[in-house]
Amino acid sequence: MKARTSAAALVEAGHVRINGVRETAPGHSVKLGDVLTIGLDRSVRILKVIGFAERRGDAQAARVLFEDLQGGPK
């Protein structure tokens, strides 16, 4: 499954919060400083948006666009 499809499925299933508020619309935009809480199978990721890219890139390029608030690996 592609990343965008997987992300939309997480949102639609109610596993994503933006600034503490559950989001159910995959197209909801985020802004600088927003904190995303994402419930995964056996873990929860808490990420802060710190940048945006002009174009879609690979995972390495994406890592500089968010801060992991749990201090874990990106």
Side-chain angles (χ1 to χ4, degrees), residues 1-42:
M1 188 179 290
K2 296 213 177 233
R4 195 174 296 212
T5 303
S6 296
L10 283 171
V11 172
E12 289 171 349
H15 297 294
V16 176
R17 293 179 182 266
I18 300 175
N19 299 321
V21 178
R22 188 178 311 265
E23 184 54 57
T24 57
H28 185 93
S29 61
V30 295
K31 59 187 180 305
L32 286 177
D34 280 352
V35 175
L36 309 177
T37 305
I38 306 162
L40 302 170
D41 287 337
R42 292 186 167 87

PDB file of all heavy atoms in Angstrom, residues 1-42:
ATOM      1  N   MET A   1       0.851  -1.186   0.000  1.00  0.00           N
ATOM      2  CA  MET A   1       0.000   0.000   0.000  1.00  0.00           C
ATOM      3  C   MET A   1       0.892   1.241   0.000  1.00  0.00           C
ATOM      4  O   MET A   1       1.882   1.293   0.714  1.00  0.00           O
ATOM      5  CB  MET A   1      -0.898  -0.026   1.241  1.00  0.00           C
ATOM      6  CG  MET A   1      -1.941   1.044   1.240  1.00  0.00           C
ATOM      7  SD  MET A   1      -3.034   1.022   2.685  1.00  0.00           S
ATOM      8  CE  MET A   1      -3.975  -0.434   2.410  1.00  0.00           C
ATOM      9  N   LYS A   2       0.553   2.211  -0.790  1.00  0.00           N
ATOM     10  CA  LYS A   2       1.340   3.435  -0.870  1.00  0.00           C
ATOM     11  C   LYS A   2       1.164   4.280   0.396  1.00  0.00           C
ATOM     12  O   LYS A   2       0.162   4.193   1.092  1.00  0.00           O
ATOM     13  CB  LYS A   2       0.927   4.232  -2.091  1.00  0.00           C
ATOM     14  CG  LYS A   2       1.232   3.502  -3.379  1.00  0.00           C
ATOM     15  CD  LYS A   2       1.581   4.502  -4.437  1.00  0.00           C
ATOM     16  CE  LYS A   2       1.952   3.742  -5.680  1.00  0.00           C
ATOM     17  NZ  LYS A   2       3.220   4.150  -6.174  1.00  0.00           N
ATOM     18  N   ALA A   3       2.151   5.130   0.670  1.00  0.00           N
ATOM     19  CA  ALA A   3       2.172   5.929   1.896  1.00  0.00           C
ATOM     20  C   ALA A   3       0.957   6.851   2.010  1.00  0.00           C
ATOM     21  O   ALA A   3       0.358   6.965   3.075  1.00  0.00           O
ATOM     22  CB  ALA A   3       3.461   6.747   1.964  1.00  0.00           C
ATOM     23  N   ARG A   4       0.583   7.492   0.922  1.00  0.00           N
ATOM     24  CA  ARG A   4      -0.537   8.429   0.968  1.00  0.00           C
ATOM     25  C   ARG A   4      -1.842   7.697   1.268  1.00  0.00           C
ATOM     26  O   ARG A   4      -2.665   8.155   2.049  1.00  0.00           O
ATOM     27  CB  ARG A   4      -0.635   9.183  -0.355  1.00  0.00           C
ATOM     28  CG  ARG A   4      -1.516  10.404  -0.274  1.00  0.00           C
ATOM     29  CD  ARG A   4      -1.469  11.182  -1.561  1.00  0.00           C
ATOM     30  NE  ARG A   4      -0.126  11.701  -1.780  1.00  0.00           N
ATOM     31  CZ  ARG A   4       0.133  12.825  -2.400  1.00  0.00           C
ATOM     32  NH1 ARG A   4      -0.831  13.543  -2.895  1.00  0.00           N
ATOM     33  NH2 ARG A   4       1.367  13.233  -2.552  1.00  0.00           N
ATOM     34  N   THR A   5      -2.019   6.518   0.670  1.00  0.00           N
ATOM     35  CA  THR A   5      -3.211   5.704   0.913  1.00  0.00           C
ATOM     36  C   THR A   5      -3.240   5.228   2.354  1.00  0.00           C
ATOM     37  O   THR A   5      -4.281   5.254   3.021  1.00  0.00           O
ATOM     38  CB  THR A   5      -3.235   4.492  -0.046  1.00  0.00           C
ATOM     39  OG1 THR A   5      -3.184   4.980  -1.382  1.00  0.00           O
ATOM     40  CG2 THR A   5      -4.478   3.657   0.136  1.00  0.00           C
ATOM     41  N   SER A   6      -2.086   4.806   2.870  1.00  0.00           N
ATOM     42  CA  SER A   6      -1.988   4.353   4.255  1.00  0.00           C
ATOM     43  C   SER A   6      -2.298   5.489   5.224  1.00  0.00           C
ATOM     44  O   SER A   6      -3.003   5.300   6.221  1.00  0.00           O
ATOM     45  CB  SER A   6      -0.584   3.818   4.552  1.00  0.00           C
ATOM     46  OG  SER A   6      -0.308   2.692   3.779  1.00  0.00           O
ATOM     47  N   ALA A   7      -1.786   6.670   4.932  1.00  0.00           N
ATOM     48  CA  ALA A   7      -2.037   7.825   5.792  1.00  0.00           C
ATOM     49  C   ALA A   7      -3.522   8.181   5.798  1.00  0.00           C
ATOM     50  O   ALA A   7      -4.099   8.457   6.850  1.00  0.00           O
ATOM     51  CB  ALA A   7      -1.204   9.015   5.321  1.00  0.00           C
ATOM     52  N   ALA A   8      -4.157   8.166   4.630  1.00  0.00           N
ATOM     53  CA  ALA A   8      -5.586   8.471   4.551  1.00  0.00           C
ATOM     54  C   ALA A   8      -6.391   7.453   5.339  1.00  0.00           C
ATOM     55  O   ALA A   8      -7.357   7.812   6.033  1.00  0.00           O
ATOM     56  CB  ALA A   8      -6.038   8.491   3.090  1.00  0.00           C
ATOM     57  N   ALA A   9      -6.004   6.191   5.281  1.00  0.00           N
ATOM     58  CA  ALA A   9      -6.718   5.146   6.027  1.00  0.00           C
ATOM     59  C   ALA A   9      -6.597   5.374   7.531  1.00  0.00           C
ATOM     60  O   ALA A   9      -7.579   5.193   8.276  1.00  0.00           O
ATOM     61  CB  ALA A   9      -6.185   3.770   5.652  1.00  0.00           C
ATOM     62  N   LEU A  10      -5.426   5.787   8.001  1.00  0.00           N
ATOM     63  CA  LEU A  10      -5.250   6.081   9.428  1.00  0.00           C
ATOM     64  C   LEU A  10      -6.155   7.228   9.864  1.00  0.00           C
ATOM     65  O   LEU A  10      -6.773   7.183  10.929  1.00  0.00           O
ATOM     66  CB  LEU A  10      -3.793   6.436   9.735  1.00  0.00           C
ATOM     67  CG  LEU A  10      -2.806   5.289   9.811  1.00  0.00           C
ATOM     68  CD1 LEU A  10      -1.382   5.835   9.907  1.00  0.00           C
ATOM     69  CD2 LEU A  10      -3.105   4.390  10.999  1.00  0.00           C
ATOM     70  N   VAL A  11      -6.229   8.267   9.046  1.00  0.00           N
ATOM     71  CA  VAL A  11      -7.075   9.420   9.364  1.00  0.00           C
ATOM     72  C   VAL A  11      -8.546   9.000   9.390  1.00  0.00           C
ATOM     73  O   VAL A  11      -9.265   9.294  10.352  1.00  0.00           O
ATOM     74  CB  VAL A  11      -6.851  10.570   8.357  1.00  0.00           C
ATOM     75  CG1 VAL A  11      -7.865  11.679   8.578  1.00  0.00           C
ATOM     76  CG2 VAL A  11      -5.436  11.113   8.471  1.00  0.00           C
ATOM     77  N   GLU A  12      -8.989   8.303   8.353  1.00  0.00           N
ATOM     78  CA  GLU A  12     -10.393   7.895   8.269  1.00  0.00           C
ATOM     79  C   GLU A  12     -10.797   6.979   9.407  1.00  0.00           C
ATOM     80  O   GLU A  12     -11.941   6.999   9.860  1.00  0.00           O
ATOM     81  CB  GLU A  12     -10.664   7.220   6.921  1.00  0.00           C
ATOM     82  CG  GLU A  12     -10.633   8.202   5.775  1.00  0.00           C
ATOM     83  CD  GLU A  12     -10.676   7.540   4.416  1.00  0.00           C
ATOM     84  OE1 GLU A  12     -10.515   6.305   4.317  1.00  0.00           O
ATOM     85  OE2 GLU A  12     -10.864   8.279   3.423  1.00  0.00           O
ATOM     86  N   ALA A  13      -9.848   6.192   9.918  1.00  0.00           N
ATOM     87  CA  ALA A  13     -10.128   5.277  11.024  1.00  0.00           C
ATOM     88  C   ALA A  13     -10.079   5.983  12.380  1.00  0.00           C
ATOM     89  O   ALA A  13     -10.347   5.362  13.413  1.00  0.00           O
ATOM     90  CB  ALA A  13      -9.143   4.119  11.007  1.00  0.00           C
ATOM     91  N   GLY A  14      -9.732   7.272  12.389  1.00  0.00           N
ATOM     92  CA  GLY A  14      -9.716   8.035  13.635  1.00  0.00           C
ATOM     93  C   GLY A  14      -8.452   7.881  14.446  1.00  0.00           C
ATOM     94  O   GLY A  14      -8.440   8.167  15.639  1.00  0.00           O
ATOM     95  N   HIS A  15      -7.352   7.467  13.813  1.00  0.00           N
ATOM     96  CA  HIS A  15      -6.096   7.251  14.529  1.00  0.00           C
ATOM     97  C   HIS A  15      -5.172   8.457  14.503  1.00  0.00           C
ATOM     98  O   HIS A  15      -4.024   8.358  14.930  1.00  0.00           O
ATOM     99  CB  HIS A  15      -5.358   6.041  13.943  1.00  0.00           C
ATOM    100  CG  HIS A  15      -6.103   4.763  14.103  1.00  0.00           C
ATOM    101  ND1 HIS A  15      -6.355   4.188  15.320  1.00  0.00           N
ATOM    102  CD2 HIS A  15      -6.674   3.948  13.184  1.00  0.00           C
ATOM    103  CE1 HIS A  15      -7.038   3.066  15.149  1.00  0.00           C
ATOM    104  NE2 HIS A  15      -7.252   2.904  13.855  1.00  0.00           N
ATOM    105  N   VAL A  16      -5.663   9.600  13.989  1.00  0.00           N
ATOM    106  CA  VAL A  16      -4.818  10.793  13.883  1.00  0.00           C
ATOM    107  C   VAL A  16      -5.488  11.954  14.602  1.00  0.00           C
ATOM    108  O   VAL A  16      -6.679  12.209  14.439  1.00  0.00           O
ATOM    109  CB  VAL A  16      -4.564  11.164  12.400  1.00  0.00           C
ATOM    110  CG1 VAL A  16      -3.762  12.450  12.290  1.00  0.00           C
ATOM    111  CG2 VAL A  16      -3.861  10.026  11.677  1.00  0.00           C
ATOM    112  N   ARG A  17      -4.686  12.644  15.407  1.00  0.00           N
ATOM    113  CA  ARG A  17      -5.151  13.873  16.061  1.00  0.00           C
ATOM    114  C   ARG A  17      -4.242  15.014  15.627  1.00  0.00           C
ATOM    115  O   ARG A  17      -3.034  14.830  15.490  1.00  0.00           O
ATOM    116  CB  ARG A  17      -5.107  13.738  17.583  1.00  0.00           C
ATOM    117  CG  ARG A  17      -6.101  12.723  18.112  1.00  0.00           C
ATOM    118  CD  ARG A  17      -5.991  12.610  19.632  1.00  0.00           C
ATOM    119  NE  ARG A  17      -6.911  11.617  20.128  1.00  0.00           N
ATOM    120  CZ  ARG A  17      -8.132  11.881  20.574  1.00  0.00           C
ATOM    121  NH1 ARG A  17      -8.561  13.125  20.608  1.00  0.00           N
ATOM    122  NH2 ARG A  17      -8.904  10.921  21.007  1.00  0.00           N
ATOM    123  N   ILE A  18      -4.851  16.172  15.420  1.00  0.00           N
ATOM    124  CA  ILE A  18      -4.095  17.384  15.112  1.00  0.00           C
ATOM    125  C   ILE A  18      -4.330  18.342  16.265  1.00  0.00           C
ATOM    126  O   ILE A  18      -5.469  18.729  16.531  1.00  0.00           O
ATOM    127  CB  ILE A  18      -4.537  18.012  13.774  1.00  0.00           C
ATOM    128  CG1 ILE A  18      -4.335  17.019  12.623  1.00  0.00           C
ATOM    129  CG2 ILE A  18      -3.761  19.304  13.514  1.00  0.00           C
ATOM    130  CD1 ILE A  18      -4.863  17.502  11.286  1.00  0.00           C
ATOM    131  N   ASN A  19      -3.253  18.663  16.971  1.00  0.00           N
ATOM    132  CA  ASN A  19      -3.341  19.523  18.156  1.00  0.00           C
ATOM    133  C   ASN A  19      -4.368  18.988  19.144  1.00  0.00           C
ATOM    134  O   ASN A  19      -5.134  19.738  19.742  1.00  0.00           O
ATOM    135  CB  ASN A  19      -3.645  20.964  17.751  1.00  0.00           C
ATOM    136  CG  ASN A  19      -2.564  21.551  16.873  1.00  0.00           C
ATOM    137  OD1 ASN A  19      -1.372  21.306  17.088  1.00  0.00           O
ATOM    138  ND2 ASN A  19      -2.949  22.288  15.862  1.00  0.00           N
ATOM    139  N   GLY A  20      -4.398  17.672  19.309  1.00  0.00           N
ATOM    140  CA  GLY A  20      -5.265  17.034  20.291  1.00  0.00           C
ATOM    141  C   GLY A  20      -6.685  16.771  19.839  1.00  0.00           C
ATOM    142  O   GLY A  20      -7.476  16.195  20.580  1.00  0.00           O
ATOM    143  N   VAL A  21      -7.032  17.174  18.628  1.00  0.00           N
ATOM    144  CA  VAL A  21      -8.398  17.004  18.122  1.00  0.00           C
ATOM    145  C   VAL A  21      -8.395  15.911  17.051  1.00  0.00           C
ATOM    146  O   VAL A  21      -7.644  15.994  16.082  1.00  0.00           O
ATOM    147  CB  VAL A  21      -8.941  18.322  17.526  1.00  0.00           C
ATOM    148  CG1 VAL A  21     -10.335  18.132  16.965  1.00  0.00           C
ATOM    149  CG2 VAL A  21      -8.929  19.419  18.583  1.00  0.00           C
ATOM    150  N   ARG A  22      -9.255  14.903  17.240  1.00  0.00           N
ATOM    151  CA  ARG A  22      -9.331  13.803  16.279  1.00  0.00           C
ATOM    152  C   ARG A  22      -9.735  14.326  14.907  1.00  0.00           C
ATOM    153  O   ARG A  22     -10.661  15.109  14.778  1.00  0.00           O
ATOM    154  CB  ARG A  22     -10.350  12.768  16.747  1.00  0.00           C
ATOM    155  CG  ARG A  22     -10.341  11.504  15.898  1.00  0.00           C
ATOM    156  CD  ARG A  22     -11.325  10.478  16.420  1.00  0.00           C
ATOM    157  NE  ARG A  22     -11.205  10.245  17.840  1.00  0.00           N
ATOM    158  CZ  ARG A  22     -10.480   9.264  18.378  1.00  0.00           C
ATOM    159  NH1 ARG A  22      -9.832   8.433  17.621  1.00  0.00           N
ATOM    160  NH2 ARG A  22     -10.420   9.131  19.694  1.00  0.00           N
ATOM    161  N   GLU A  23      -9.004  13.904  13.891  1.00  0.00           N
ATOM    162  CA  GLU A  23      -9.278  14.314  12.510  1.00  0.00           C
ATOM    163  C   GLU A  23      -9.780  13.109  11.723  1.00  0.00           C
ATOM    164  O   GLU A  23      -9.240  12.023  11.842  1.00  0.00           O
ATOM    165  CB  GLU A  23      -8.002  14.864  11.869  1.00  0.00           C
ATOM    166  CG  GLU A  23      -8.186  15.408  10.493  1.00  0.00           C
ATOM    167  CD  GLU A  23      -9.267  16.449  10.410  1.00  0.00           C
ATOM    168  OE1 GLU A  23      -9.186  17.462  11.128  1.00  0.00           O
ATOM    169  OE2 GLU A  23     -10.220  16.243   9.627  1.00  0.00           O
ATOM    170  N   THR A  24     -10.825  13.309  10.928  1.00  0.00           N
ATOM    171  CA  THR A  24     -11.361  12.213  10.128  1.00  0.00           C
ATOM    172  C   THR A  24     -11.401  12.538   8.636  1.00  0.00           C
ATOM    173  O   THR A  24     -11.823  11.715   7.852  1.00  0.00           O
ATOM    174  CB  THR A  24     -12.784  11.837  10.595  1.00  0.00           C
ATOM    175  OG1 THR A  24     -13.615  12.991  10.532  1.00  0.00           O
ATOM    176  CG2 THR A  24     -12.767  11.279  12.009  1.00  0.00           C
ATOM    177  N   ALA A  25     -10.939  13.726   8.255  1.00  0.00           N
ATOM    178  CA  ALA A  25     -10.914  14.122   6.845  1.00  0.00           C
ATOM    179  C   ALA A  25      -9.470  14.067   6.346  1.00  0.00           C
ATOM    180  O   ALA A  25      -8.633  14.878   6.759  1.00  0.00           O
ATOM    181  CB  ALA A  25     -11.474  15.522   6.672  1.00  0.00           C
ATOM    182  N   PRO A  26      -9.131  13.104   5.463  1.00  0.00           N
ATOM    183  CA  PRO A  26      -7.751  12.974   4.997  1.00  0.00           C
ATOM    184  C   PRO A  26      -7.190  14.230   4.337  1.00  0.00           C
ATOM    185  O   PRO A  26      -5.993  14.444   4.359  1.00  0.00           O
ATOM    186  CB  PRO A  26      -7.819  11.830   3.979  1.00  0.00           C
ATOM    187  CG  PRO A  26      -9.018  11.057   4.353  1.00  0.00           C
ATOM    188  CD  PRO A  26      -9.993  12.055   4.916  1.00  0.00           C
ATOM    189  N   GLY A  27      -7.996  15.074   3.768  1.00  0.00           N
ATOM    190  CA  GLY A  27      -7.515  16.266   3.085  1.00  0.00           C
ATOM    191  C   GLY A  27      -7.296  17.461   3.987  1.00  0.00           C
ATOM    192  O   GLY A  27      -6.941  18.533   3.511  1.00  0.00           O
ATOM    193  N   HIS A  28      -7.475  17.296   5.288  1.00  0.00           N
ATOM    194  CA  HIS A  28      -7.309  18.415   6.223  1.00  0.00           C
ATOM    195  C   HIS A  28      -5.867  18.926   6.156  1.00  0.00           C
ATOM    196  O   HIS A  28      -4.926  18.159   6.224  1.00  0.00           O
ATOM    197  CB  HIS A  28      -7.634  17.961   7.649  1.00  0.00           C
ATOM    198  CG  HIS A  28      -7.603  19.065   8.642  1.00  0.00           C
ATOM    199  ND1 HIS A  28      -8.736  19.767   8.980  1.00  0.00           N
ATOM    200  CD2 HIS A  28      -6.597  19.603   9.352  1.00  0.00           C
ATOM    201  CE1 HIS A  28      -8.409  20.686   9.877  1.00  0.00           C
ATOM    202  NE2 HIS A  28      -7.115  20.599  10.109  1.00  0.00           N
ATOM    203  N   SER A  29      -5.704  20.211   6.008  1.00  0.00           N
ATOM    204  CA  SER A  29      -4.355  20.770   5.913  1.00  0.00           C
ATOM    205  C   SER A  29      -3.756  20.961   7.304  1.00  0.00           C
ATOM    206  O   SER A  29      -4.466  21.114   8.290  1.00  0.00           O
ATOM    207  CB  SER A  29      -4.377  22.091   5.146  1.00  0.00           C
ATOM    208  OG  SER A  29      -5.180  23.028   5.819  1.00  0.00           O
ATOM    209  N   VAL A  30      -2.445  20.939   7.352  1.00  0.00           N
ATOM    210  CA  VAL A  30      -1.726  21.212   8.591  1.00  0.00           C
ATOM    211  C   VAL A  30      -0.886  22.453   8.374  1.00  0.00           C
ATOM    212  O   VAL A  30      -0.589  22.831   7.241  1.00  0.00           O
ATOM    213  CB  VAL A  30      -0.841  20.023   9.021  1.00  0.00           C
ATOM    214  CG1 VAL A  30      -1.685  18.818   9.376  1.00  0.00           C
ATOM    215  CG2 VAL A  30       0.181  19.672   7.974  1.00  0.00           C
ATOM    216  N   LYS A  31      -0.511  23.096   9.470  1.00  0.00           N
ATOM    217  CA  LYS A  31       0.298  24.307   9.371  1.00  0.00           C
ATOM    218  C   LYS A  31       1.522  24.174  10.264  1.00  0.00           C
ATOM    219  O   LYS A  31       1.603  23.273  11.088  1.00  0.00           O
ATOM    220  CB  LYS A  31      -0.528  25.535   9.713  1.00  0.00           C
ATOM    221  CG  LYS A  31      -1.131  25.547  11.081  1.00  0.00           C
ATOM    222  CD  LYS A  31      -2.064  26.737  11.253  1.00  0.00           C
ATOM    223  CE  LYS A  31      -2.709  26.795  12.615  1.00  0.00           C
ATOM    224  NZ  LYS A  31      -3.425  25.637  13.043  1.00  0.00           N
ATOM    225  N   LEU A  32       2.474  25.056  10.074  1.00  0.00           N
ATOM    226  CA  LEU A  32       3.679  25.037  10.896  1.00  0.00           C
ATOM    227  C   LEU A  32       3.304  25.073  12.369  1.00  0.00           C
ATOM    228  O   LEU A  32       2.432  25.833  12.776  1.00  0.00           O
ATOM    229  CB  LEU A  32       4.568  26.236  10.575  1.00  0.00           C
ATOM    230  CG  LEU A  32       5.325  26.184   9.259  1.00  0.00           C
ATOM    231  CD1 LEU A  32       6.100  27.476   9.048  1.00  0.00           C
ATOM    232  CD2 LEU A  32       6.251  24.998   9.197  1.00  0.00           C
ATOM    233  N   GLY A  33       3.947  24.225  13.131  1.00  0.00           N
ATOM    234  CA  GLY A  33       3.711  24.187  14.566  1.00  0.00           C
ATOM    235  C   GLY A  33       2.636  23.209  15.003  1.00  0.00           C
ATOM    236  O   GLY A  33       2.524  22.918  16.186  1.00  0.00           O
ATOM    237  N   ASP A  34       1.848  22.688  14.068  1.00  0.00           N
ATOM    238  CA  ASP A  34       0.829  21.700  14.433  1.00  0.00           C
ATOM    239  C   ASP A  34       1.493  20.450  14.987  1.00  0.00           C
ATOM    240  O   ASP A  34       2.572  20.045  14.541  1.00  0.00           O
ATOM    241  CB  ASP A  34      -0.023  21.299  13.227  1.00  0.00           C
ATOM    242  CG  ASP A  34      -1.112  22.305  12.903  1.00  0.00           C
ATOM    243  OD1 ASP A  34      -1.320  23.254  13.694  1.00  0.00           O
ATOM    244  OD2 ASP A  34      -1.767  22.136  11.861  1.00  0.00           O
ATOM    245  N   VAL A  35       0.846  19.839  15.976  1.00  0.00           N
ATOM    246  CA  VAL A  35       1.336  18.597  16.559  1.00  0.00           C
ATOM    247  C   VAL A  35       0.391  17.480  16.144  1.00  0.00           C
ATOM    248  O   VAL A  35      -0.816  17.553  16.380  1.00  0.00           O
ATOM    249  CB  VAL A  35       1.421  18.700  18.100  1.00  0.00           C
ATOM    250  CG1 VAL A  35       1.808  17.353  18.700  1.00  0.00           C
ATOM    251  CG2 VAL A  35       2.422  19.775  18.504  1.00  0.00           C
ATOM    252  N   LEU A  36       0.953  16.451  15.503  1.00  0.00           N
ATOM    253  CA  LEU A  36       0.188  15.306  15.040  1.00  0.00           C
ATOM    254  C   LEU A  36       0.441  14.132  15.976  1.00  0.00           C
ATOM    255  O   LEU A  36       1.597  13.819  16.269  1.00  0.00           O
ATOM    256  CB  LEU A  36       0.602  14.910  13.629  1.00  0.00           C
ATOM    257  CG  LEU A  36       0.622  16.019  12.585  1.00  0.00           C
ATOM    258  CD1 LEU A  36       1.120  15.488  11.267  1.00  0.00           C
ATOM    259  CD2 LEU A  36      -0.751  16.613  12.434  1.00  0.00           C
ATOM    260  N   THR A  37      -0.614  13.520  16.444  1.00  0.00           N
ATOM    261  CA  THR A  37      -0.522  12.308  17.242  1.00  0.00           C
ATOM    262  C   THR A  37      -1.102  11.194  16.390  1.00  0.00           C
ATOM    263  O   THR A  37      -2.261  11.266  15.983  1.00  0.00           O
ATOM    264  CB  THR A  37      -1.308  12.450  18.561  1.00  0.00           C
ATOM    265  OG1 THR A  37      -0.842  13.623  19.249  1.00  0.00           O
ATOM    266  CG2 THR A  37      -1.126  11.228  19.442  1.00  0.00           C
ATOM    267  N   ILE A  38      -0.287  10.191  16.110  1.00  0.00           N
ATOM    268  CA  ILE A  38      -0.678   9.131  15.183  1.00  0.00           C
ATOM    269  C   ILE A  38      -0.600   7.791  15.898  1.00  0.00           C
ATOM    270  O   ILE A  38       0.481   7.381  16.343  1.00  0.00           O
ATOM    271  CB  ILE A  38       0.246   9.124  13.948  1.00  0.00           C
ATOM    272  CG1 ILE A  38       0.257  10.517  13.318  1.00  0.00           C
ATOM    273  CG2 ILE A  38      -0.186   8.057  12.963  1.00  0.00           C
ATOM    274  CD1 ILE A  38       1.410  10.778  12.399  1.00  0.00           C
ATOM    275  N   GLY A  39      -1.747   7.126  16.008  1.00  0.00           N
ATOM    276  CA  GLY A  39      -1.797   5.814  16.627  1.00  0.00           C
ATOM    277  C   GLY A  39      -1.513   4.744  15.592  1.00  0.00           C
ATOM    278  O   GLY A  39      -2.230   4.621  14.601  1.00  0.00           O
ATOM    279  N   LEU A  40      -0.438   4.000  15.807  1.00  0.00           N
ATOM    280  CA  LEU A  40      -0.060   2.912  14.911  1.00  0.00           C
ATOM    281  C   LEU A  40      -0.378   1.585  15.601  1.00  0.00           C
ATOM    282  O   LEU A  40      -0.900   1.569  16.703  1.00  0.00           O
ATOM    283  CB  LEU A  40       1.420   3.027  14.553  1.00  0.00           C
ATOM    284  CG  LEU A  40       1.807   4.352  13.888  1.00  0.00           C
ATOM    285  CD1 LEU A  40       3.312   4.487  13.789  1.00  0.00           C
ATOM    286  CD2 LEU A  40       1.163   4.462  12.523  1.00  0.00           C
ATOM    287  N   ASP A  41      -0.046   0.479  14.971  1.00  0.00           N
ATOM    288  CA  ASP A  41      -0.387  -0.833  15.524  1.00  0.00           C
ATOM    289  C   ASP A  41       0.017  -1.006  16.983  1.00  0.00           C
ATOM    290  O   ASP A  41      -0.796  -1.321  17.825  1.00  0.00           O
ATOM    291  CB  ASP A  41       0.242  -1.953  14.688  1.00  0.00           C
ATOM    292  CG  ASP A  41      -0.447  -2.128  13.349  1.00  0.00           C
ATOM    293  OD1 ASP A  41      -1.624  -1.739  13.232  1.00  0.00           O
ATOM    294  OD2 ASP A  41       0.200  -2.642  12.427  1.00  0.00           O
ATOM    295  N   ARG A  42       1.281  -0.821  17.259  1.00  0.00           N
ATOM    296  CA  ARG A  42       1.766  -1.060  18.621  1.00  0.00           C
ATOM    297  C   ARG A  42       2.466   0.151  19.218  1.00  0.00           C
ATOM    298  O   ARG A  42       3.224   0.020  20.182  1.00  0.00           O
ATOM    299  CB  ARG A  42       2.725  -2.249  18.618  1.00  0.00           C
ATOM    300  CG  ARG A  42       2.025  -3.551  18.320  1.00  0.00           C
ATOM    301  CD  ARG A  42       2.981  -4.717  18.472  1.00  0.00           C
ATOM    302  NE  ARG A  42       2.252  -5.968  18.492  1.00  0.00           N
ATOM    303  CZ  ARG A  42       1.907  -6.662  17.420  1.00  0.00           C
ATOM    304  NH1 ARG A  42       2.217  -6.192  16.228  1.00  0.00           N
ATOM    305  NH2 ARG A  42       1.267  -7.800  17.535  1.00  0.00           N
TER     306      ARG A  42
END
